[in-house]
Amino acid sequence: MIRHVRRVTAACALGALALGLAGCGEPASSNGPPKASPTVPPKPKATPKPTPKPTLAPGPGGTTPVFERGTATKERTVALTFDADMTADQGARARAGERFDNPQLVRTLRTLKVPATVFMTGRWAEEYPAEAKDIGRDRLFEVANHSYSHYAFTGDCYGLPRVPTRGMRADVDRAFGAFRKAGVEHVVPYFRFPGGCYDRAALRALTPTGVTAVQWDVVSGDAFATDTDAVTRQVLDGVRPGSVVVMHCTRSAAPTTERVVREVVPRLRAKGYRFVRVSDLVGAARGA
């Protein structure tokens, strides 16, 4: 459209010179310079659609696939992942002052320029919508689904209440809905089972959601830990090319995590490691 307007404007200017007119359709005036043609504002550029994040092909029998580590790569890459945990019944504790968020950890990741994947529960996004939105709009991060309720998808999972099989898909969908309501961007189609507990029935139940289940190969041990050095050693000893490290983004349940990150990041970089998001590892695995 802009090119068409410019062609019409040029034609009008040539006609004005030939006919002694000041502009297209306006008589010439001897009382001053000709009036300028109105400026046509350019059309706003369309916002590009985000590139869909890679998922793995379905598992046996078409069930939800499970990703644990980027085994297809020899490159020294590692993905730090952080579970933003809050169960559906912890609202009273939050109102009493318990903090399930960790803004300082997020600031440290930004300062160190560390990409990361945050596995967020829907209940966490409801409790901290501004923080959820802030994390989700930062291209350094990506937000993945950690269920709405943080209830277990199997029996006997660290004492967590259990989601009935028929309610598993709804729990995952509810978390995605909470992200949308909070305005969270950069949401990726990955799901982490609360407690990492799953079985074949849970994988079948989540098949319609189209997610890839993401586990880990390095347990940081930051949950309820108070010894920063011990957690740091556990991470450094466990990381290998393509590793997925599980950590937590909750101050009350993981008070050492931010300090661990400040120790681990420069030491892994000194060993030649590059930090990536889970989507980068899944993409490499899918393309292998």
Side-chain angles (χ1 to χ4, degrees), residues 61-272:
T63 57
T64 299
V66 180
F67 180 82
E68 294 183 355
R69 172 176 165 256
T71 57
T73 180
K74 293 183 179 180
E75 185 182 0
R76 291 197 169 193
T77 55
V78 56
L80 297 186
T81 68
F82 298 89
D83 291 358
D85 292 347
M86 187 174 180
T87 61
D89 59 358
Q90 288 178 329
R93 288 166 57 178
R95 289 190 294 273
E98 184 171 349
R99 298 306 300 256
F100 297 90
D101 61 341
N102 196 336
Q104 183 57 51
L105 170 62
V106 176
R107 286 193 290 270
T108 296
L109 291 169
R110 284 171 169 156
T111 299
L112 297 175
K113 295 180 172 57
V114 178
T117 304
V118 178
F119 286 86
M120 187 181 294
T121 68
R123 184 64 188 86
W124 195 98
E126 286 181 348
E127 189 68 29
Y128 306 105
E131 291 182 52
K133 183 177 181 179
D134 179 60
I135 292 170
R137 72 190 305 176
D138 190 333
R139 292 192 176 275
L140 193 64
F141 308 128
E142 59 189 12
V143 174
N145 195 313
H146 196 29
S147 81
Y148 173 82
S149 63
H150 201 263
Y151 289 171
F153 282 55
T154 66
D156 192 23
C157 182
Y158 301 102
L160 292 171
R162 186 176 182 180
V163 179
T165 302
R166 64 182 180 277
M168 291 178 180
R169 178 182 177 183
D171 194 83
V172 173
D173 288 340
R174 188 178 179 185
F176 281 129
F179 299 162
R180 288 191 295 271
K181 185 175 181 180
V184 180
E185 302 176 32
H186 306 143
V187 177
V188 290
Y190 308 141
F191 176 76
R192 174 166 285 166
F193 288 99
C197 305
Y198 69 94
D199 55 19
R200 188 167 179 80
L203 294 178
R204 282 197 303 267
L206 296 190
T207 298
T209 67
V211 298
T212 290
V214 176
Q215 295 290 95
W216 55 82
D217 67 305
V218 179
V219 178
S220 69
D222 67 337
F224 307 107
T226 57
D227 188 337
T228 301
D229 292 338
V231 178
T232 299
R233 285 195 303 271
Q234 189 153 317
V235 173
L236 293 175
D237 290 345
V239 167
R240 49 191 171 151
S243 277
V244 176
V245 182
V246 59
M247 307 180 85
H248 293 82
C249 190
T250 46
R251 273 186 287 177
S252 60
T256 66
T257 307
E258 189 271 336
R259 296 193 297 274
V260 170
V261 167
R262 281 191 274 122
E263 290 289 331
V264 163
V265 168
R267 291 168 70 172
L268 284 177
R269 281 176 169 160
K271 293 181 178 182

Side-chain angles (χ1 to χ4, degrees), residues 33-56:
K35 296 180 180 179
S37 300
T39 302
V40 179
K43 290 179 66 177
K45 294 182 179 180
T47 302
K49 294 183 178 180
T51 303
K53 295 299 182 181
T55 55
L56 295 183

